[in-house]
Amino acid sequence: MNVCWPKIRFTINNEACEVHVPPMKRLLDVLREDLHLNGTKEGCGEGECGSCSVRMNGELVNSCLVPVLQAEGAEIQTVEGLATNGILHPLQECFLACGGAQCGICTPGMLMAAAQLLERNPNPSMAEIREGLAGNLCRCTGFMRIFESVLAAATQAENSVAEKANHAR
Ligand code: FES
Ligand code: FES
């Protein structure tokens, strides 16, 4: 039997898209299977690990818990949307430089959680970084390098703002 699934529209990484899929299909699966955005990873599949984190309407969500129908009309950002015109996001640069990118499973979710944190709090303390990434698990317990990567990105951004202010004087 051919089933005609309803149209679900949303914006993904600033591009409009439309899918025809079962409305209760997990956003995680729609991203990976239908939109071929494989950067978002599945860890636990139960909302516990944060590997599948994406940003939806400015909030960090576990895409394994979001039925795609809830994404109707939403603006979604995945890890593929962090780089701009092939230039890595400062967080991605710092994860590379500071050894925060240790495995392919947790890193995309960590990056999205860190992007969310820095947008809300551009100058977080180490304690705030720990708290901001508390929903994201690193199973190999390499948390320190991840936290240091986020701190480095925040420090870099702060220095560049200060530099610009100095030039403007
Ligand atoms: S896979 Fe979604 S929270 Fe773990
Ligand atoms: S670095 Fe990914 S699970 Fe530890």
Side-chain angles (χ1 to χ4, degrees):
M1 186 179 71
N2 266 348
V3 181
C4 189
W5 297 114
K7 208 183 285 178
I8 299 170
R9 292 189 184 133
F10 47 88
T11 303
I12 185 102
N13 298 330
N14 294 322
E15 282 189 25
C17 89
E18 179 179 302
V19 290
H20 297 252
V21 294
M24 291 306 286
K25 187 167 180 174
R26 303 182 306 172
L27 177 61
L28 170 64
D29 297 327
V30 172
L31 293 173
R32 292 180 56 84
E33 294 167 9
D34 299 282
L35 300 174
H36 309 295
L37 294 169
N38 296 322
T40 305
K41 299 292 188 281
E42 175 159 17
C44 64
E46 302 179 338
E48 298 291 336
C49 74
S51 295
C52 63
S53 302
V54 299
R55 296 168 85 197
M56 188 160 110
N57 293 332
E59 298 292 335
L60 195 68
V61 298
N62 290 325
S63 61
C64 70
L65 296 184
V66 178
V68 68
L69 72 98
Q70 277 182 13
E72 170 69 35
E75 285 190 16
I76 296 170
Q77 186 190 34
T78 67
V79 71
E80 287 88 350
L82 279 184
T84 313
N85 299 327
I87 298 172
L88 291 182
H89 187 283
L91 273 167
Q92 292 171 308
E93 292 283 5
C94 288
F95 267 62
L96 281 175
C98 303
Q102 300 164 85
C103 87
I105 297 293
C106 71
T107 305
M110 292 283 182
L111 283 167
M112 297 313 288
Q116 178 78 7
L117 169 69
L118 294 191
E119 195 176 286
R120 298 210 164 155
N121 178 4
N123 191 15
S125 63
M126 195 51 122
E128 288 168 331
I129 292 172
R130 281 173 184 269
E131 198 187 318
L133 269 58
N136 293 71
L137 297 184
C138 164
R139 289 172 179 77
C140 56
T141 67
F143 281 109
M144 270 328 287
R145 286 185 181 182
I146 294 169
F147 297 153
E148 283 162 9
S149 303
V150 179
L151 192 61
T155 309
Q156 219 176 66
E158 196 188 5
N159 289 345
S160 111
V161 170
E163 235 171 74
K164 277 184 197 151
N166 279 342
H167 280 302
R169 275 185 201 146

mmCIF file of all heavy atoms in Angstrom, residues 51 99-107 110 137-143 146, ligand 2:
data_model
loop_
_atom_site.group_PDB
_atom_site.id
_atom_site.type_symbol
_atom_site.label_atom_id
_atom_site.label_comp_id
_atom_site.label_asym_id
_atom_site.label_seq_id
_atom_site.Cartn_x
_atom_site.Cartn_y
_atom_site.Cartn_z
ATOM 1 N N SER A 51 24.372 13.225 22.048
ATOM 2 C CA SER A 51 25.074 13.052 20.761
ATOM 3 C C SER A 51 24.254 13.587 19.590
ATOM 4 O O SER A 51 24.804 13.976 18.564
ATOM 5 C CB SER A 51 25.339 11.571 20.482
ATOM 6 O OG SER A 51 26.205 11.060 21.420
ATOM 7 N N GLY A 99 42.436 19.556 21.056
ATOM 8 C CA GLY A 99 42.204 18.122 21.279
ATOM 9 C C GLY A 99 40.812 17.790 21.786
ATOM 10 O O GLY A 99 40.587 16.717 22.350
ATOM 11 N N GLY A 100 39.853 18.700 21.563
ATOM 12 C CA GLY A 100 38.475 18.425 22.005
ATOM 13 C C GLY A 100 37.744 17.462 21.075
ATOM 14 O O GLY A 100 36.786 16.804 21.477
ATOM 15 N N ALA A 101 38.199 17.385 19.818
ATOM 16 C CA ALA A 101 37.549 16.487 18.854
ATOM 17 C C ALA A 101 38.200 15.120 18.960
ATOM 18 O O ALA A 101 39.179 14.830 18.292
ATOM 19 C CB ALA A 101 37.699 17.045 17.439
ATOM 20 N N GLN A 102 37.678 14.302 19.865
ATOM 21 C CA GLN A 102 38.327 13.025 20.150
ATOM 22 C C GLN A 102 37.623 11.838 19.517
ATOM 23 O O GLN A 102 38.209 10.789 19.316
ATOM 24 C CB GLN A 102 38.394 12.822 21.665
ATOM 25 C CG GLN A 102 39.185 13.925 22.340
ATOM 26 C CD GLN A 102 38.947 13.982 23.840
ATOM 27 O OE1 GLN A 102 39.579 13.268 24.596
ATOM 28 N NE2 GLN A 102 38.020 14.803 24.268
ATOM 29 N N CYS A 103 36.343 11.976 19.229
ATOM 30 C CA CYS A 103 35.644 10.874 18.571
ATOM 31 C C CYS A 103 34.517 11.450 17.726
ATOM 32 O O CYS A 103 34.148 12.597 17.868
ATOM 33 C CB CYS A 103 35.099 9.873 19.589
ATOM 34 S SG CYS A 103 33.463 10.290 20.210
ATOM 35 N N GLY A 104 34.002 10.620 16.839
ATOM 36 C CA GLY A 104 32.983 11.126 15.920
ATOM 37 C C GLY A 104 31.580 11.106 16.494
ATOM 38 O O GLY A 104 30.652 11.632 15.896
ATOM 39 N N ILE A 105 31.416 10.484 17.656
ATOM 40 C CA ILE A 105 30.055 10.314 18.174
ATOM 41 C C ILE A 105 29.605 11.499 19.017
ATOM 42 O O ILE A 105 28.578 12.115 18.772
ATOM 43 C CB ILE A 105 29.940 9.006 18.995
ATOM 44 C CG1 ILE A 105 30.196 7.789 18.098
ATOM 45 C CG2 ILE A 105 28.568 8.901 19.644
ATOM 46 C CD1 ILE A 105 29.145 7.542 17.043
ATOM 47 N N CYS A 106 30.412 11.859 20.010
ATOM 48 C CA CYS A 106 29.938 12.916 20.908
ATOM 49 C C CYS A 106 30.246 14.314 20.370
ATOM 50 O O CYS A 106 29.579 15.279 20.747
ATOM 51 C CB CYS A 106 30.541 12.755 22.301
ATOM 52 S SG CYS A 106 32.300 13.138 22.376
ATOM 53 N N THR A 107 31.269 14.435 19.504
ATOM 54 C CA THR A 107 31.749 15.769 19.117
ATOM 55 C C THR A 107 30.678 16.665 18.480
ATOM 56 O O THR A 107 30.552 17.829 18.877
ATOM 57 C CB THR A 107 32.977 15.647 18.184
ATOM 58 O OG1 THR A 107 33.954 14.854 18.851
ATOM 59 C CG2 THR A 107 33.571 17.006 17.862
ATOM 60 N N MET A 110 28.497 17.953 21.213
ATOM 61 C CA MET A 110 29.252 18.860 22.088
ATOM 62 C C MET A 110 29.371 20.228 21.424
ATOM 63 O O MET A 110 29.228 21.266 22.077
ATOM 64 C CB MET A 110 30.671 18.322 22.327
ATOM 65 C CG MET A 110 30.739 17.079 23.139
ATOM 66 S SD MET A 110 30.515 17.427 24.894
ATOM 67 C CE MET A 110 30.719 15.762 25.566
ATOM 68 N N LEU A 137 27.315 13.629 26.990
ATOM 69 C CA LEU A 137 28.221 12.658 27.600
ATOM 70 C C LEU A 137 29.392 12.325 26.689
ATOM 71 O O LEU A 137 29.223 12.165 25.483
ATOM 72 C CB LEU A 137 27.476 11.349 27.908
ATOM 73 C CG LEU A 137 26.337 11.438 28.907
ATOM 74 C CD1 LEU A 137 25.784 10.043 29.169
ATOM 75 C CD2 LEU A 137 26.790 12.081 30.213
ATOM 76 N N CYS A 138 30.548 12.237 27.305
ATOM 77 C CA CYS A 138 31.731 11.709 26.622
ATOM 78 C C CYS A 138 32.008 10.379 27.307
ATOM 79 O O CYS A 138 32.370 10.355 28.474
ATOM 80 C CB CYS A 138 32.900 12.684 26.784
ATOM 81 S SG CYS A 138 34.493 11.961 26.393
ATOM 82 N N ARG A 139 31.794 9.310 26.582
ATOM 83 C CA ARG A 139 31.900 7.988 27.206
ATOM 84 C C ARG A 139 33.339 7.620 27.550
ATOM 85 O O ARG A 139 33.602 6.744 28.357
ATOM 86 C CB ARG A 139 31.326 6.920 26.283
ATOM 87 C CG ARG A 139 29.845 7.012 26.173
ATOM 88 C CD ARG A 139 29.327 6.066 25.112
ATOM 89 N NE ARG A 139 27.876 6.146 25.029
ATOM 90 C CZ ARG A 139 27.229 7.116 24.441
ATOM 91 N NH1 ARG A 139 27.894 8.106 23.871
ATOM 92 N NH2 ARG A 139 25.915 7.143 24.406
ATOM 93 N N CYS A 140 34.283 8.272 26.859
ATOM 94 C CA CYS A 140 35.675 7.935 27.164
ATOM 95 C C CYS A 140 36.241 8.883 28.218
ATOM 96 O O CYS A 140 37.427 8.863 28.494
ATOM 97 C CB CYS A 140 36.510 7.963 25.901
ATOM 98 S SG CYS A 140 36.406 9.517 25.052
ATOM 99 N N THR A 141 35.390 9.720 28.766
ATOM 100 C CA THR A 141 35.722 10.640 29.868
ATOM 101 C C THR A 141 36.815 11.651 29.522
ATOM 102 O O THR A 141 37.554 12.095 30.395
ATOM 103 C CB THR A 141 36.097 9.895 31.176
ATOM 104 O OG1 THR A 141 37.316 9.206 30.966
ATOM 105 C CG2 THR A 141 35.021 8.933 31.609
ATOM 106 N N GLY A 142 36.896 12.024 28.261
ATOM 107 C CA GLY A 142 37.882 13.048 27.874
ATOM 108 C C GLY A 142 37.306 14.445 27.992
ATOM 109 O O GLY A 142 37.520 15.282 27.112
ATOM 110 N N PHE A 143 36.584 14.698 29.078
ATOM 111 C CA PHE A 143 35.875 15.975 29.210
ATOM 112 C C PHE A 143 36.795 17.191 29.261
ATOM 113 O O PHE A 143 36.451 18.245 28.744
ATOM 114 C CB PHE A 143 35.001 15.969 30.471
ATOM 115 C CG PHE A 143 33.718 15.220 30.306
ATOM 116 C CD1 PHE A 143 33.511 14.005 30.929
ATOM 117 C CD2 PHE A 143 32.689 15.731 29.523
ATOM 118 C CE1 PHE A 143 32.320 13.307 30.777
ATOM 119 C CE2 PHE A 143 31.501 15.049 29.369
ATOM 120 C CZ PHE A 143 31.312 13.828 29.997
ATOM 121 N N ILE A 146 37.644 18.851 26.074
ATOM 122 C CA ILE A 146 36.434 19.440 25.474
ATOM 123 C C ILE A 146 36.152 20.791 26.149
ATOM 124 O O ILE A 146 35.935 21.805 25.484
ATOM 125 C CB ILE A 146 35.246 18.460 25.608
ATOM 126 C CG1 ILE A 146 35.515 17.207 24.769
ATOM 127 C CG2 ILE A 146 33.932 19.131 25.200
ATOM 128 C CD1 ILE A 146 34.579 16.046 25.002
HETATM 129 S S1 FES B 2 35.359 11.986 22.907
HETATM 130 FE FE1 FES B 2 33.478 11.203 22.149
HETATM 131 S S2 FES B 2 32.803 9.865 23.641
HETATM 132 FE FE2 FES B 2 34.581 10.712 24.470
#
